[in-house]
Amino acid sequence: MSLTPFRVPIVPELRKSTILSLIAKGLRIEERDLYTPRLIKIEAGVVERAEGSAQVQLGKTQVLVGVKVDVGTPFKDTPDEGVIAVNAEFVPIASPMFEPGPPDENAIELARVIDRSLRESNAVDRKSLVIIPGQKVWVVHVDIYVLNYDGNLFDASMLATMAALIDTRLPDYEELETGEIRLKEEKKTPLQINKIVTTVNIAKIGDYLIVDPNLDEETVADTKLIVAYDHEGNVVGIQKSGAGSMTREEILKAIDIGSKAARVYFKSLEEALGERLPVKIG
Amino acid sequence: MAKATDVKLIDEFGRRHDGRLPEEMRPVSMRINVLDNADGSALVEFGRTRVLAAVYGPREPVQRFMILPDRALLRVRYHMAPFSTAERKSPAPSRREIELSKVIREAFEDIILVKYFPRTAIDIFIEVLQADGGTRTAAVTAASLALANAGIPMKALVAGIAVGKIEGVLVLDVDEVEDGVGEADMPVAAAPDIGKITLFQLNGVLTKEEVEKGLDMALEAIKKLVELEKQTLVEEYVTTEEV
Amino acid sequence: MSEEAKTRKLVVPGERLPDEVELKEPYVVEVEGARVATVMGVLDLHGEKPSFIPLQTVYVPKPGDVVIGMIQSIGVMNWQVDINSPYVAVLNAQDFLGRPYNPLTDDLSQYLNIGDYVKAKVVAFDRSRSPILTVQDKGLGKITEGKIVEIQAAKIPRVIGKKRSMISMLQEELGCDIFAAVNGRIHIKCADSERESILVLAIKMIEREAHTVGLTARVQEYIQELKKVKGVE
């Protein structure tokens, strides 16, 4: 069941009019233009226990992603592919609006949008995750942990997920005579990454489209369009998220604007991961 | 069972596995007033996909915390009957159903005139009776009819359809077989009378040009679907006139 | 098709109306600069100015409305009254009794019990709190005889008719007392149960065919036929 949100942050009229009049001038509160994301900081390998991890700051929004892998059985309809499972937790430390408990519809939507963008683009080669075809595969758990919420969890989470997957190292293992797989301490095999994927969150505020909305902007926005791109420029996922509607022209314009912002995100990943980036970004 | 990739889904004449052309919808049927207890209801079919929607309200919210001082609260539940799928679906809400309930609710927040009914709740309950692809867009179509049937004031009628890409070809109204192997599935819902797109998703890979072409295919079909909705609503009154 | 029928047109939600149609929120609103119908209704091009008659409305109380309410629950100091609206009304014990009220000695259910009907006037409502009712006016109070027929609130104007034409016809044909409250409830009092049942059937016919033309004549015909069948003079 989905309900109209009733616990939404209050943006005082004065602050709202400040946001709107700035946008009308092509400016944002963080001294950026309408189509530029906030400052981005990406750090990979921040949790040693995890097979892969990364922490991302996008303005004041902070997201930590940990990747854990284990051995499991493949899905019946895809016996020759491994499994990637994305989960998001809006933990209560991240915002006064977050309550403890199972993921709500926003956390589920976020996880599913990221999961689909990765799956449909085949960003991580799922066929390479097979240990014994039809029987044993790697199950890659991506857990998104929101640490501080200041808007646009989509882009911050996607960046952190991508960095954490690139950081991931599969454990060495041996196949026992019983058919069991015994994992070793050593971890050195990286995931086979085919594509780098990023999302770009474009908010519609009145007649304007803006990239990477902060919390205040997200609160006053009519709606948002989250567009996922791969590093070759394809659109690999879209989600309209939010109560309002958009025109055909706004949607097409958003996809254009987003493809430019996507390059900013790709560049940040390249700067943070350098040589570890498995593909060349053109 | 044949593996999906072995099946050819577009033949040498450009026809799809069920004989349709790329821009052809499945047979669509719409009925309203199908449930007595609901304030409004509709049954919508796209081929074998069959979706029932019921609307209750505006009414006093069931729980106090759901009261919004300046508008009606919308509650939407998209739910699949356990027998609607090839393998029994657990009746407990899945993550997919939770997400779809949200995007369907958001497809109507800007359409229903909620500000005239503060402190009330409007409920849209959707049951997928049989799933053969395109259930969320059929659900939006059924919900639009059920809202109109309930007399809930709305800016315009809404309908939905999905565009898919199979074997490199953009096709309208994908069914389950096509969705299973297709390269992309792009559900769209819109209110063509006011030029608003209220639900938009893409699962899959498309170029920007394909998104544009697919969106236009969907909008063209949605116009036809809304015309069919109008006809369905008017017919309900015309038949009683002939008594 | 009669001349009258040509000037009446069924309209669906979202349909554009001529600019001369008056705003009637929430049923006729302005969307992107155009007059738009938001529910099913009839566009009447007959009169001087085109008008829109909604076929479905939600009853939202207004001060001054006389409604027929049903006691839904009993509180310490008041009754909660279902007025066929999303907004549950309140009738204060002191207002009903017309004297100060003592919760220790007075048992409210003795005066109005759950399921009882009451004819009352809305004194205050601003959508931010529950509507308040009063029975302190002529003809108001508990309904003790007759029957209540419930129809869609939008169809009440049709039961009354232009210049009360429909309701006068019903009264003349059957000799019943009829009070049609704006909230969709009609209180009827007839001499016998035969007339009562004919009236109920006629009201249901009006509800069903409210959007059609020549309805008063057809309802009259229908009543006269039923009277013949049932042997009512």
Side-chain angles (χ1 to χ4, degrees):
Chain A
M1 192 107 74
S2 175
L3 277 65
T4 305
F6 38 83
R7 202 188 294 117
V8 284
I10 296 162
V11 180
E13 270 312 309
L14 275 178
R15 191 134 50 113
K16 188 172 168 181
S17 66
T18 311
I19 295 169
L20 292 175
S21 61
L22 273 177
I23 288 175
K25 287 190 199 115
L27 278 174
R28 318 275 287 275
I29 215 107
E30 301 92 349
E31 297 184 345
R32 54 178 170 145
D33 67 30
L34 303 190
Y35 305 151
T36 305
R38 290 168 286 182
L39 282 177
I40 306 157
K41 202 176 143 202
I42 302 170
E43 199 181 342
V46 289
V47 180
E48 291 81 359
R49 268 291 165 91
E51 276 74 48
S53 63
Q55 187 164 342
V56 164
Q57 288 181 33
L58 181 58
K60 285 189 234 163
T61 288
Q62 273 187 64
V63 173
L64 172 64
V65 166
V67 175
K68 292 297 294 175
V69 299
D70 55 33
V71 178
T73 48
F75 289 122
K76 252 187 278 171
D77 50 347
T78 50
D80 53 353
E81 289 182 6
V83 176
I84 299 169
V86 182
N87 180 58
E89 297 282 339
F90 291 5
V91 285
I93 53 166
S95 164
M97 286 179 293
F98 294 169
E99 288 286 334
D104 68 359
E105 63 178 26
N106 298 307
I108 288 173
E109 180 186 37
L110 171 77
R112 285 178 57 85
V113 166
I114 288 176
D115 183 76
R116 287 199 291 264
S117 306
L118 292 171
R119 182 190 313 274
E120 299 290 350
S121 61
N122 202 22
V124 179
D125 195 310
R126 287 192 302 279
K127 291 201 161 48
S128 72
L129 296 174
V130 175
I131 301 168
I132 307 169
Q135 290 177 37
K136 294 271 191 277
V137 296
W138 290 113
V139 179
V140 179
H141 296 276
V142 175
D143 280 289
I144 298 166
Y145 234 60
V146 178
L147 299 182
N148 195 63
Y149 174 40
D150 189 35
N152 193 11
L153 293 176
F154 284 96
D155 297 357
S157 302
M158 187 75 234
L159 283 169
T161 299
M162 206 65 236
L165 287 169
I166 293 167
D167 181 57
T168 299
R169 295 293 176 268
L170 296 171
D172 292 351
Y173 61 89
E174 58 182 330
E175 212 180 308
L176 304 179
E177 275 170 31
T178 57
E180 268 177 279
I181 302 293
R182 187 159 69 202
L183 299 184
K184 297 180 179 168
E185 278 292 306
E186 203 85 352
K187 297 172 191 171
K188 52 177 186 290
T189 318
L191 298 176
Q192 193 179 318
I193 308 263
N194 297 323
K195 298 267 176 68
I196 305 291
V197 172
T198 186
T199 60
V200 180
N201 181 346
I202 302 125
K204 178 191 165 182
I205 300 186
D207 291 331
Y208 298 95
L209 296 173
I210 60 166
V211 161
D212 177 29
N214 62 36
L215 182 56
D216 280 355
E217 291 167 338
E218 231 171 39
T219 310
V220 302
D222 301 300
T223 195
K224 298 173 306 237
L225 195 72
I226 291 90
V227 186
Y229 304 86
D230 67 18
H231 70 278
E232 291 163 352
N234 293 305
V235 179
V236 299
I238 301 179
Q239 179 95 339
K240 190 212 112 189
S241 176
S245 51
M246 294 175 95
T247 64
R248 172 189 181 276
E249 287 64 36
E250 283 169 339
I251 284 179
L252 297 176
K253 189 178 170 200
I255 295 172
D256 267 342
I257 292 168
S259 68
K260 293 183 191 95
R263 287 209 281 273
V264 178
Y265 289 141
F266 289 136
K267 209 165 163 39
S268 304
L269 279 168
E270 200 170 30
E271 278 166 13
L273 296 159
E275 288 300 298
R276 299 173 67 189
L277 208 65
V279 298
K280 263 260 170 293
I281 292 172
Chain B
M1 196 179 96
K3 256 173 57 189
T5 43
D6 300 340
V7 184
K8 192 97 178 84
L9 283 173
I10 305 256
D11 70 13
E12 64 260 48
F13 308 108
R15 295 227 174 234
R16 293 152 74 179
H17 76 106
D18 56 359
R20 282 186 289 156
L21 289 167
E23 304 210 13
E24 206 176 321
M25 279 187 266
R26 290 174 286 182
V28 177
S29 118
M30 299 180 183
R31 277 169 58 204
I32 57 166
N33 232 350
V34 293
L35 301 171
D36 282 335
N37 281 343
D39 294 317
S41 59
L43 180 69
V44 166
E45 292 175 12
F46 283 75
R48 293 200 304 170
T49 288
R50 191 175 306 150
V51 177
L52 191 58
V55 167
Y56 285 86
R59 60 179 175 179
E60 207 184 15
V62 193
Q63 281 159 294
R64 304 288 304 170
F65 72 86
M66 299 193 311
I67 287 176
L68 295 174
D70 56 348
R71 51 161 293 173
L73 176 127
L74 290 191
R75 272 203 311 173
V76 173
R77 186 173 98 136
Y78 163 97
H79 185 249
M80 294 179 95
F83 45 77
S84 64
T85 45
E87 265 179 59
R88 178 176 185 270
K89 192 221 148 265
S90 156
S94 65
R95 287 162 65 89
R96 176 179 173 277
E97 287 169 302
I98 291 169
E99 185 201 338
L100 293 193
S101 297
K102 177 178 188 280
V103 297
I104 294 169
R105 175 178 59 73
E106 291 174 343
F108 286 101
E109 292 271 12
D110 195 27
I111 294 294
I112 299 171
L113 293 164
V114 288
K115 68 168 180 181
Y116 292 104
F117 304 103
R119 302 170 62 233
T120 69
I122 298 170
D123 294 333
I124 305 174
F125 299 134
I126 294 155
E127 291 292 337
V128 176
L129 301 181
Q130 186 159 274
D132 188 19
T135 60
R136 83 194 68 181
T137 47
V140 169
T141 309
S144 167
L145 279 168
L147 284 163
N149 183 222
I152 308 275
M154 54 209 277
K155 289 182 195 166
L157 295 169
V158 182
I161 193 107
V163 167
K165 183 181 173 189
I166 45 174
E167 290 162 18
V169 183
L170 289 177
V171 298
L172 196 61
D173 187 21
V174 284
D175 67 15
E176 196 171 278
V177 172
E178 293 174 329
D179 190 28
V181 296
E183 294 105 273
D185 175 32
M186 187 168 80
V188 183
D193 289 347
I194 50 173
K196 289 190 164 172
I197 294 161
T198 66
L199 179 152
F200 191 53
Q201 292 179 297
L202 165 66
N203 316 318
V205 182
L206 292 178
T207 63
K208 202 220 143 194
E209 292 66 35
E210 285 169 331
V211 172
E212 180 168 354
K213 184 166 178 241
L215 181 55
D216 286 339
M217 272 171 78
L219 292 176
E220 197 57 42
I222 287 168
K223 258 190 217 157
K224 289 183 199 149
L225 290 168
V226 165
E227 282 313 309
L228 195 57
E229 284 185 27
K230 290 178 182 172
Q231 218 176 306
T232 307
L233 290 167
V234 167
E235 264 164 22
E236 182 75 7
Y237 282 94
V238 174
T239 43
T240 55
E241 194 173 18
E242 282 159 3
V243 172
Chain C
M1 206 188 266
S2 70
E3 276 308 305
E4 196 191 350
K6 275 183 209 159
T7 57
R8 288 165 66 91
K9 181 178 173 278
L10 267 176
V11 165
V12 297
E15 203 164 316
R16 232 190 126 146
L17 300 173
D19 289 340
E20 306 87 74
V21 174
E22 258 179 66
L23 282 184
K24 194 195 283 179
E25 290 171 302
Y27 307 111
V28 179
V29 301
E30 196 127 317
V31 179
E32 322 263 309
R35 292 280 139 100
V36 166
T38 65
V39 293
M40 290 290 298
V42 174
L43 175 61
D44 190 348
L45 300 162
H46 196 59
E48 286 169 30
K49 246 171 74 171
S51 64
F52 176 76
I53 306 142
L55 286 169
Q56 281 161 302
T57 55
V58 177
Y59 177 63
V60 175
K62 285 193 310 294
D65 282 356
V66 175
V67 296
I68 295 174
M70 189 198 68
I71 304 303
Q72 177 182 305
S73 59
I74 302 173
V76 183
M77 303 291 280
N78 54 34
W79 290 273
Q80 283 84 52
V81 187
D82 165 6
I83 53 167
N84 194 25
S85 165
Y87 305 100
V88 174
V90 171
L91 176 61
N92 285 313
Q94 189 161 333
D95 180 277
F96 184 83
L97 299 173
R99 60 169 166 83
Y101 154 76
N102 181 352
L104 294 177
T105 53
D106 285 309
D107 174 8
L108 287 189
S109 66
Q110 298 240 298
Y111 306 101
L112 285 172
N113 209 345
I114 289 170
D116 284 348
Y117 283 101
V118 65
K119 197 167 149 186
K121 193 159 81 182
V122 178
V123 279
F125 182 55
D126 61 0
R127 297 191 199 211
S128 66
R129 262 167 296 173
S130 299
I132 308 288
L133 301 178
T134 179
V135 293
Q136 293 303 322
D137 212 340
K138 229 182 90 199
L140 303 182
K142 182 174 176 176
I143 293 173
T144 50
E145 33 176 4
K147 289 263 155 63
I148 301 289
V149 187
E150 193 157 329
I151 66 168
Q152 294 166 31
K155 309 292 171 67
I156 288 291
R158 202 70 169 124
V159 171
I160 295 167
K162 275 202 188 107
K163 299 193 181 111
R164 297 186 60 81
S165 55
M166 183 73 87
I167 203 165
S168 304
M169 182 277 288
L170 293 173
Q171 276 161 340
E172 270 163 39
E173 284 289 339
L174 295 161
C176 306
D177 282 344
I178 308 169
F179 173 74
V182 280
N183 63 329
R185 292 194 180 129
I186 304 169
H187 179 211
I188 60 174
K189 256 189 309 187
C190 298
D192 54 59
S193 62
E194 292 290 7
R195 284 180 173 77
E196 200 174 78
S197 60
I198 295 173
L199 181 54
V200 172
L201 290 171
I203 289 170
K204 283 291 172 188
M205 175 176 173
I206 299 167
E207 181 186 29
R208 218 168 38 238
E209 302 184 24
H211 60 290
T212 63
V213 294
L215 184 58
T216 314
R218 281 210 314 285
V219 173
Q220 188 162 20
E221 236 170 78
Y222 177 67
I223 292 174
Q224 286 169 350
E225 214 164 285
L226 282 176
K227 274 162 69 177
K228 240 182 264 164
V229 172
K230 301 202 174 197
V232 175
E233 280 304 303

